Amino acid sequence: MKKFIYIILAILTVAGVSSCKDQDDIYQQWVKKGGYTYPEKSTDLKAYDGYNRIKLQWAYPKDPSVTSAKITWANGTKSLDVNYSDYVGKDTIVIYINNLEERSYTFDIVNFDADGNKSMTTEVTTSPYAENWLLTHSEREIISADVQSDGSALVKTGFGTDEMIATRFRYLNNAGDTITLTETLPAASSTISFPDAAPGKKFEYSSSYCPSEGLDTIWNAWRRSPNPIAGKLDCSGWVATCNTVATRPTSNLFDGVIGSDVNHAWWSYDKTTFPKILVIDTQSSTYMINKLLLYQNAAGGYAYRTNNNVEVYFGNQLFDINAGSDYANTDPFKNAVYSKSLVYWNGTAWAGVWLPEMENVRYIAIVFKDSRRNGNALFEVEAYGYDTSKD
């Protein structure tokens, strides 16, 4: 019995050896004699996106047998050879791939030794950015632009939006020249000044953007401001009427003279008629107004500083100078786009009304509810904003 078992085991052993030998013969054609040599593959591979380009970066190989690399992309239809001898002494290999479309790419890197042996492949997927990416980023808001006392325009904006770097500007100066401002407005700031800016003209602006690890800052196309720069309006053609007899005419309100000479003022010596209602017709429906200044005697002293409680109304219906004491309940006054109460203290030279925002206004009503002395007087009316027909 034992002899039989030994014979069976011997047969099985011979069969197993024969089977393994057959398998070795099958795989022998795929095995390189002496074993296959794999050079070191690229390590620490990183990709950085840019404007229609990318930057590839990886570690200089430690394997001294590695001599070159091949980069392939676009499903192997594009390639670039890298000679490591050009980077001797450096720790990092940096390669830029330009002229790419705005889409996803996979970049494969294979190292070679002098005998042509190939390393394992290292790959990275990334997407350069361009106009489509830029379209997903909103511009900053332009809030206001007003000429200041020094002749410059103060421009107020919203803060920068996502991935915004800065905003640049160009505008017209008072000589009619286009000025491209050298200073840019950082994303974290919201005000900038235009020296010698021409009022009543729109300006242009453009913002730049860059991803947090992007290579390139790219700029939006120039666009016009939604509104012109607000400044002092030419009021010389405006007409004013009043419900009381004037000792000095209403036309003096717009003669451009601010001082102490009552001959350049409107003055109603009437001490009994109240309210005095003075209505200004700008003669146009194209004015946008955000500020009104009302001057008394501006040269000092109390002469002709007569006003006390005053109300100012802005609207596009003609205010009735004869509305009487119930004026506030008449339609033009009730439908005013904005109104404001003022108090001239005993020494006040002027008072102003700042509207919360630009308003399209044709008519302005100034209501004098009482007087400190000698009736009521105004030496000049100044309005600020812009004329939409001239922007």
Side-chain angles (χ1 to χ4, degrees):
M1 184 65 180
K2 289 183 179 180
K3 183 176 180 181
F4 175 75
I5 292 172
Y6 290 147
I7 291 172
I8 295 299
L9 289 174
I11 292 171
L12 291 173
T13 301
V14 170
V17 170
S18 175
S19 176
C20 290
K21 187 174 185 302
D22 291 342
Q23 285 292 101
D24 287 344
D25 290 341
I26 291 172
Y27 286 106
Q28 205 52 234
Q29 60 181 314
W30 305 108
V31 178
K32 184 176 179 180
K33 292 181 180 180
Y36 194 89
T37 301
Y38 286 96
E40 177 192 5
K41 73 174 185 177
S42 299
T43 59
D44 297 329
L45 176 61
K46 296 181 179 65
Y48 299 91
D49 297 329
Y51 180 62
N52 289 131
R53 65 172 186 158
I54 58 98
K55 180 178 80 170
L56 296 177
Q57 178 180 302
W58 68 94
Y60 188 91
K62 296 179 180 179
D63 182 352
S65 71
V66 175
T67 59
S68 63
K70 181 180 285 290
I71 306 170
T72 58
W73 66 97
N75 296 320
T77 61
K78 301 287 186 179
S79 65
L80 179 68
D81 294 323
V82 177
N83 191 337
Y84 282 120
S85 64
D86 296 334
Y87 297 88
V88 173
K90 296 184 178 181
D91 296 328
T92 304
I93 310 300
V94 176
I95 299 292
Y96 290 91
I97 310 293
N98 300 314
N99 302 316
L100 297 173
E101 296 177 359
E102 191 176 7
R103 62 180 179 86
S104 177
Y105 290 88
T106 296
F107 294 88
D108 295 328
I109 301 179
V110 176
N111 285 339
F112 296 85
D113 63 15
D115 297 325
N117 295 311
K118 299 191 300 182
S119 72
M120 301 295 287
T121 300
T122 304
E123 71 174 35
V124 65
T125 299
T126 191
S127 303
Y129 52 90
E131 281 72 19
N132 289 334
W133 174 84
L134 192 58
L135 288 174
T136 66
H137 292 72
S138 58
E139 258 291 2
R140 81 164 75 217
E141 178 189 10
I142 303 298
I143 297 174
S144 64
D146 294 273
V147 173
Q148 306 298 295
S149 58
D150 63 357
S152 66
L154 179 65
V155 178
K156 297 181 180 180
T157 75
F159 290 103
T161 56
D162 185 43
E163 296 182 307
M164 182 183 290
I165 305 301
T167 305
R168 59 187 177 183
F169 299 88
R170 61 189 185 194
Y171 64 95
L172 288 175
N173 66 9
N174 285 300
D177 300 321
T178 299
I179 305 298
T180 300
L181 203 63
T182 56
E183 177 187 3
T184 59
L185 183 63
S189 300
S190 60
T191 59
I192 194 165
S193 181
F194 297 173
D196 191 36
K201 302 295 182 182
K202 291 185 176 182
F203 57 91
E204 294 183 306
Y205 62 106
S206 163
S207 295
S208 59
Y209 304 81
C210 185
S212 58
E213 293 189 352
L215 300 177
D216 305 304
T217 295
I218 57 177
W219 291 88
N220 259 335
W222 288 101
R223 64 184 65 189
R224 297 187 79 196
S225 60
N227 298 314
I229 296 171
K232 183 179 175 182
L233 296 172
D234 180 5
C235 305
S236 59
W238 294 10
V239 175
T241 55
C242 187
N243 64 334
T244 63
V245 176
T247 308
R248 296 292 187 276
T250 56
S251 59
N252 285 344
L253 293 171
F254 314 114
D255 66 1
V257 179
I258 302 173
S260 60
D261 186 352
V262 73
N263 291 309
H264 289 278
W266 163 78
W267 178 30
S268 174
Y269 190 71
D270 186 338
K271 301 178 184 180
T272 59
T273 301
F274 294 102
K276 290 185 179 72
I277 301 177
L278 179 73
V279 175
I280 297 171
D281 182 355
T282 69
Q283 304 289 295
S284 174
S285 60
T286 60
Y287 286 109
M288 299 294 292
I289 295 176
N290 68 344
K291 182 170 68 173
L292 190 74
L293 299 183
L294 306 176
Y295 292 91
Q296 297 195 105
N297 174 2
Y302 296 104
Y304 304 111
R305 292 187 181 179
T306 62
N307 301 317
N308 187 17
N309 293 292
V310 176
E311 291 179 354
V312 183
Y313 293 80
F314 300 84
N316 289 297
Q317 293 178 267
L318 180 61
F319 298 101
D320 183 2
I321 60 173
N322 297 310
S325 59
D326 197 36
Y327 66 93
N329 292 316
T330 63
D331 283 344
F333 288 90
K334 288 195 299 183
N335 297 332
V337 297
Y338 185 71
S339 62
K340 180 71 174 180
S341 295
L342 304 173
V343 176
Y344 284 85
W345 303 107
N346 203 33
T348 303
W350 61 275
V353 179
W354 283 261
L355 283 70
E357 57 187 25
M358 285 286 177
E359 294 287 359
N360 177 220
V361 170
R362 173 164 179 173
Y363 301 102
I364 301 169
I366 304 172
V367 180
F368 301 89
K369 300 178 72 173
D370 51 26
S371 170
R372 290 192 178 275
R373 67 185 74 82
N374 298 330
N376 300 91
L378 283 180
F379 279 68
E380 193 73 14
V381 172
E382 287 183 346
Y384 291 77
Y386 56 86
D387 185 346
T388 58
S389 68
K390 298 178 180 180
D391 62 8

